[in-house]
Amino acid sequence: MNIENKVVFVTGAGRGIGKALVKACLQHNARKVYAAARDLEALKDLADARVVPIKLDITKAANIQSAAKTAGDVQVLINNAGIFASHSLLDSPLENIRTDMDVNYFGTINMIRAFAPVIENNGGGAIASLCSIVSLASMVFAAGYCASKAALFSAMQALRTELRKKNIAVYSIFPGPIDTDMAKGIEMAKTTPEQAAENILQGIRAGKEDIFPDPMSEQMSALWYQNPKKLEEQFASL
Ligand SMILES: NC(=O)c1ccc[n+]([C@@H]2O[C@H](COP(=O)([O-])OP(=O)(O)OC[C@H]3O[C@@H](n4cnc5c(N)ncnc54)[C@H](OP(=O)(O)O)[C@@H]3O)[C@@H](O)[C@H]2O)c1
């Protein structure tokens, strides 16, 4: 799907990959971009007449309903908002493990449940969600987060089948380390959010159902396609 002339909705647009995605959509000549953030102040630098700021916390049902009403012309939803709150499944507070599920899984599927009818009413379009390379195999130091992203990956597979009938394409995105606040403590080579955003839009344009937007995720996906157990072993050794 080509972003040109489309109406796009991006969650978590106040910083990181989300902000880079808004800018990339503008560069790809989107007609309108709804930039959603919990704090509207974070959107102030997105000075383009095509950007429509929306206040949205994806864990709040009322926020989601109101966003779907306001943005009734959306054709492409990009679920970017996400959180990394939990680490080891044995040691992290259960509350943090729940927070990861609430935002990354339940928040995202609630967005999809609200926006799928909107996109269908507009003749179809696309829904893309930021999963993670750790959706495919877990890392022990981020296990709670990994489980929430694995759940999202599974949801996207089922939704692909269900939404096809409504003329909505489904894209799952699996980044490796991207240089944002979320990856601050990770000592690995990182891709810039701008490059990741550009690669995501190129993947969507090429119709790739599974998008690996950086060199690390590309390399790990090759291993996973070959032998999923090898990726599990590789991540367990980190
Ligand atoms: N960076 C990486 O290495 C990496 C790798 C794989 C996948 N990802 C995924 O890519 C996506 C973007 O990550 P990032 O690296 O850009 O992270 P980031 O810099 O931490 O930004 C996260 C964004 O999500 C928003 N957000 C968090 N909870 C929210 C909620 N309840 N409702 C609405 N928005 C919420 C944040 O808003 P506030 O500013 O209000 O907190 C922020 O805009 C996430 O889904 C992440 O899991 C990132």
Side-chain angles (χ1 to χ4, degrees), residues 99-141:
T99 297
D100 279 338
M101 288 302 286
D102 281 343
V103 177
N104 300 338
Y105 181 65
F106 289 110
T108 304
I109 62 168
N110 280 334
M111 280 298 293
I112 295 171
R113 286 159 65 101
F115 275 86
V118 172
I119 298 171
E120 186 184 11
N121 279 342
N122 293 325
I127 296 178
S129 296
L130 274 284
C131 301
S132 168
I133 194 66
V134 300
S135 298
L136 307 181
S138 191
M139 291 183 182
V140 68
F141 60 83

Side-chain angles (χ1 to χ4, degrees), residues 11-19 36-39 42 56-60 79-84 102-104 130-134 145 149 152 173-183 186 190 193:
T11 66
R15 59 194 168 101
I17 301 171
K19 182 161 278 186
R38 292 192 284 194
D39 175 7
L56 172 70
D57 181 328
I58 65 164
T59 62
K60 298 198 168 139
N79 291 304
N80 163 78
I83 201 159
F84 176 11
D102 281 343
V103 177
N104 300 338
L130 274 284
C131 301
S132 168
I133 194 66
V134 300
Y145 169 79
K149 289 291 184 177
L152 178 59
I173 301 153
F174 303 89
I178 311 299
D179 198 4
T180 66
D181 295 340
M182 189 178 281
I186 298 173
K190 294 175 204 166

